[in-house]
Amino acid sequence: MSAIPLASGIITDLAALLVFRTDYFSWLHGVMKVPDGFFPVGISFFSLAAVGTLIDVYKRRINAEKNIVRFSLYFMFFPRIIMGPLLRYTVFRKILDSRKESPENIGLGLTIFVKGLAKKVIIADDLYMLFSAVHSQNIKEISAVTAWLGITAFILCLYFNLSGFADMGRGIAYCFGYHFPQSFNYPLISTKIKYFAARWQSQVIQWLRRYVTKPLYRVCSYRWIKELIFIFGWTLFGIWYTFKINGAVWGILIGSAVVIESRLSKRKPLNITGIIYTCLIILICSVFLAENSLLHSCRYLLAMMGGNGVIADAQAFYLLKSYIVLILVAVYAASDLFRNLMMRSGREKVKNVITAASTFFVLAALIICTALMSYNGSSEMLLMKL
């Protein structure tokens, strides 16, 4: 492949991403007679996968695929097109070649699917109600406790939305014999910011490292330049999320936090200390991801610090009383405590009991999710369109 087809393909893929992910091309939507509310689901993953494949073929890392069916399956495979994972073609080809259907895979796939469905319907949708309740108030009047509750609900809701859809896609793939990797590896309860940065939507982070930051690292040897490149990579990640200035600021803050942490932390902190400061930094940075403007984000941060002159009020206590159980359950579900319990349980009988009980929990979760979706009519809430 020469440079001209490579450049043409990359420009075409990125142009499609910009057209459908930004508001600057609304006139083009009218020309194309796109109906209101139309959005090509998965275009963010589709575009990055296409660009990565073009670069790999150009660099002769892989040979161009001549089988149009296999190549189309890579892009349009429906379990991963909504929320990933974002796989390189070589990885997908290995998964495709090692595909094996079995009753065990179907059972495991259904379990993972119900787990993702429960994340979305039971936890994320209810947390969104808390976030909406806080977000609908006058930013100049909310108390500090209310502001912290709102941003906590947002980041938990975002995590359970994205990871829930990713789990549902991974579960469906398992049923067909495809073993896809996890996109989220319990990032919120991390002892360091760098662990959060590595575990959040990890395939997208690896894509940026492979095709953006790593090539730039090779042309410089100074540490501070490499740190700026790292921050630039996270800035692109934030832009990819929202295509707004707030997303870019979120990426800059997370990238800068990782760099500062690597400069300052000379020894490993206590787990609980690391978790607390990591969660605080994640929540503060997430304000820019949750709001639509920098001014509103700064105003919200001021409210979190008590800038409105109110630490707690009646509404804060009401919201705390109404959602504290859900928040605690969500925090536990976002941690790896249950997984560690299974791994550290030395007795085989204990593992068998937990495995047997999990079957009933999965069945109960499926019944609850079905009931909630039937009662609400739909479950369409999405914080981000990717």
Side-chain angles (χ1 to χ4, degrees):
M1 177 185 287
S2 64
I4 295 178
L6 172 68
S8 301
I10 292 177
I11 291 173
T12 301
D13 292 326
L14 296 182
L17 189 61
L18 290 173
V19 166
F20 290 104
R21 288 292 308 276
T22 65
D23 299 327
Y24 302 111
F25 297 91
S26 57
W27 61 270
L28 184 57
H29 298 172
V31 173
M32 298 170 61
K33 297 183 179 180
V34 174
D36 293 338
F38 172 80
F39 181 79
V41 176
I43 189 171
S44 299
F45 295 96
F46 184 97
S47 300
L48 293 188
V51 170
T53 304
L54 286 172
I55 295 175
D56 284 342
V57 172
Y58 177 75
K59 294 288 187 180
R60 301 186 184 277
R61 297 167 181 163
I62 61 173
N63 295 323
E65 179 60 66
K66 298 180 180 180
N67 189 327
I68 187 63
V69 175
R70 288 169 61 93
F71 192 66
S72 299
L73 181 63
Y74 167 61
F75 284 107
M76 303 305 296
F77 190 53
F78 67 93
R80 58 174 287 269
I81 199 169
I82 297 178
M83 287 295 172
L86 177 63
L87 302 176
R88 289 183 288 117
Y89 185 64
T90 51
V91 176
F92 180 83
R93 189 161 52 189
K94 291 179 181 178
I95 295 174
L96 182 63
D97 293 337
S98 62
R99 185 177 75 91
K100 183 179 180 181
E101 298 177 2
S102 66
E104 292 80 8
N105 282 337
I106 294 175
L108 179 58
L110 291 176
T111 300
I112 296 173
F113 176 85
V114 174
K115 175 186 174 183
L117 184 66
K119 284 182 176 182
K120 172 67 175 70
V121 177
I122 298 178
I123 301 180
D125 285 0
D126 286 334
L127 285 170
Y128 184 71
M129 295 174 64
L130 172 57
F131 170 69
S132 298
V134 176
H135 200 256
S136 62
Q137 298 182 47
N138 188 340
I139 190 65
K140 298 180 181 179
E141 297 177 358
I142 64 174
S143 65
V145 174
T146 302
W148 281 99
L149 283 174
I151 197 59
T152 301
F154 171 81
I155 192 62
L156 287 173
C157 178
L158 179 63
Y159 167 72
F160 283 107
N161 255 295
L162 299 180
S163 65
F165 275 109
D167 284 346
M168 282 189 275
R170 197 164 64 95
I172 295 174
Y174 257 93
C175 293
F176 290 94
Y178 298 91
H179 293 187
F180 287 162
Q182 288 184 335
S183 296
F184 297 84
N185 187 19
Y186 305 102
L188 295 181
I189 312 300
S190 301
T191 55
K192 286 188 176 182
I193 297 295
K194 72 174 184 178
Y195 297 150
F196 165 80
R199 296 170 181 171
W200 182 274
Q201 203 108 35
S202 55
Q203 279 78 38
V204 180
I205 297 299
Q206 292 170 10
W207 188 96
L208 288 169
R209 183 183 299 121
R210 180 180 179 86
Y211 298 109
V212 179
T213 58
K214 194 173 180 180
L216 293 176
Y217 286 157
R218 297 195 186 103
V219 300
C220 66
S221 58
Y222 296 103
R223 180 179 178 181
W224 66 272
I225 297 181
K226 291 184 177 181
E227 290 172 343
L228 289 177
I229 293 173
F230 177 82
I231 295 173
F232 171 70
W234 264 90
T235 304
L236 292 179
F237 186 34
I239 294 174
W240 179 77
Y241 257 152
T242 64
F243 277 87
K244 295 180 180 178
I245 186 64
N246 272 37
V249 172
W250 174 77
I252 291 172
L253 291 176
I254 293 294
S256 300
V258 174
V259 170
I260 294 172
E261 180 185 71
S262 65
R263 288 276 189 173
L264 297 181
S265 61
K266 296 182 180 180
R267 56 183 179 178
K268 183 178 179 180
L270 296 175
N271 285 345
I272 186 63
T273 305
I275 291 173
I276 291 174
Y277 100 83
T278 300
C279 287
L280 287 175
I281 292 176
I282 292 172
L283 290 175
I284 292 173
C285 295
S286 297
V287 172
F288 293 92
L289 207 58
E291 302 298 333
N292 293 322
S293 69
L294 288 178
L295 180 61
H296 206 273
S297 300
C298 295
R299 198 68 187 82
Y300 195 94
L301 282 174
L302 184 63
M304 290 172 62
M305 304 305 169
N308 291 336
V310 183
I311 301 300
D313 54 10
Q315 186 175 34
F317 287 111
Y318 172 77
L319 293 175
L320 187 62
K321 181 180 68 174
S322 301
Y323 288 96
I324 185 62
V325 175
L326 177 62
I327 291 176
L328 292 177
V329 170
V331 170
Y332 176 80
S335 69
D336 58 353
L337 293 177
F338 182 77
R339 183 183 66 173
N340 290 340
L341 176 64
M342 290 288 292
M343 294 177 61
R344 295 176 182 177
S345 179
R347 297 182 179 181
E348 193 66 26
K349 291 182 178 180
V350 175
K351 292 183 178 180
N352 292 335
V353 169
I354 295 176
T355 302
S358 64
T359 303
F360 294 98
F361 282 118
V362 169
L363 181 60
L366 179 60
I367 294 173
I368 293 172
C369 290
T370 304
L372 287 174
M373 288 189 292
S374 300
Y375 176 76
N376 294 328
S378 63
S379 181
E380 299 176 351
M381 190 280 299
L382 270 176
L383 288 177
M384 287 185 178
K385 291 182 178 181
L386 298 176

